[in-house]
Amino acid sequence: MESGNNTRISEFILLGLSEEELQPLIFGLVLSMYLITVFGNLLIILAISSDSHLHTPMYFFLSNLSFVDICFTSTTIPKMLWNIQNNNKGITYEGCITQMYFYILFGGLDDILLSVMAYDRYVAICHPLHYTVIMSPQLCGLLVLISWVLVALNSLLHSLMVLRFSFCPEIQIPHFFCELSQLVQLARSDNFLNNIVMYFATVLVGGGPFAGILYSYSKIVSCIYKISSAQGKYKAFSTCVSHLSVVFLFYFAVLGVYLSSGTTYTSHSSIIASVMYTVVTPMLNPFIYS
């Protein structure tokens, strides 16, 4: 890409976890987790699609979440494994922008789908008699479609703004994938507008669904509290345990990435937290819901 008289960038260098002696161990560990993630989430999708008793809104959203988790993990991990195997840390400019786009896309979808699933649990517990009417197949499909459109536009906006940047001919990214905030900080161009857009989008796309989850569960807790029998309370709450576990794991990993990236820009803690976010969390989701 050209910006004025700047040199066209053809490749970035992904430093990642650069200890040479640990590369075989890292490769084997990450590959194992990636395969478990793909096959675990794929089994969830196949089980839901093959069993007519699971053709309900809750499992419809779960199958979408599993599909998004597979795509989210596949956005970064295969390239990381390829680079380790071939001892090559490069990624093309076009590949970097593409990777960043899909990373934002599927990460945002994870966030919004968890919020939609919280709304589904709210309707099921607080309005059980009207559940099938409210959570109709049309509404479920519309919620998923709106989620895709919103995050696709958000990812496209960030990608187009990064395309405006100019970079040094030799640029090293202290990570194992092309992450938006690092590209913004490494750019030679003025990135003030991008920082404003990035923080605003984080509040809107990240904070909005989280606020929706908190609101839904505040209503759920209020409804459960009104149930007279202890068995009824337990039965109502048990339908939320899996979703609550995934929500806690997801936002715990996001918080870890945020806090670690804010301490030391090139620290290994940020990379390890990102591995937790991109691999470990999607890998554990099938076990939790199973």
Side-chain angles (χ1 to χ4, degrees), residues 92-282:
T92 64
Y93 177 83
E94 294 79 7
C96 187
I97 300 299
T98 303
Q99 187 182 71
M100 182 195 70
Y101 172 83
F102 285 108
Y103 182 83
I104 298 173
L105 174 70
F106 294 119
L109 276 171
D110 255 338
D111 193 16
I112 295 181
L113 283 175
L114 288 175
S115 177
V116 172
M117 294 172 74
Y119 174 72
D120 171 73
R121 292 299 84 205
Y122 156 72
V123 177
I125 293 175
C126 298
H127 305 282
L129 298 179
H130 301 91
Y131 178 73
T132 55
V133 176
I134 297 175
M135 299 303 295
S136 63
Q138 293 79 13
L139 178 62
C140 294
L142 182 62
L143 289 174
V144 172
L145 177 62
I146 292 174
S147 302
W148 276 89
V149 171
L150 287 177
V151 295
L153 292 176
N154 176 60
S155 301
L156 182 62
L157 173 63
H158 286 304
S159 300
L160 291 176
M161 296 194 71
V162 170
L163 286 173
R164 298 172 51 250
F165 285 163
S166 60
F167 298 92
C168 298
E170 290 287 337
I171 187 167
Q172 296 180 340
I173 301 176
H175 222 306
F176 64 91
F177 68 97
C178 294
E179 204 267 333
L180 173 63
S181 62
Q182 297 192 8
L183 288 177
V184 171
Q185 294 186 45
L186 291 170
R188 290 195 298 179
S189 311
D190 180 24
N191 57 17
F192 176 76
L193 180 61
N194 278 68
N195 282 323
I196 295 297
V197 173
M198 184 172 60
Y199 292 133
F200 178 77
T202 300
V203 172
L204 185 64
V205 179
F210 183 65
I213 293 173
L214 291 179
Y215 177 79
S216 296
Y217 274 103
S218 68
K219 293 293 184 180
I220 290 173
V221 171
S222 177
C223 290
I224 293 177
Y225 182 75
K226 296 176 182 178
I227 299 175
S228 56
S229 66
Q231 184 179 2
K233 291 180 178 180
Y234 173 78
K235 184 177 180 180
F237 180 75
S238 63
T239 64
C240 303
V241 172
S242 296
H243 180 257
L244 274 174
S245 301
V246 173
V247 168
F248 175 79
L249 187 63
F250 178 83
Y251 284 101
F252 178 78
V254 170
L255 183 63
V257 172
Y258 175 77
L259 293 178
S260 60
S261 63
T263 54
T264 306
Y265 180 60
T266 59
S267 67
H268 280 36
S269 60
S270 176
I271 300 175
I272 294 172
S274 295
V275 171
M276 170 76 179
Y277 175 55
T278 56
V279 186
V280 178
T281 300

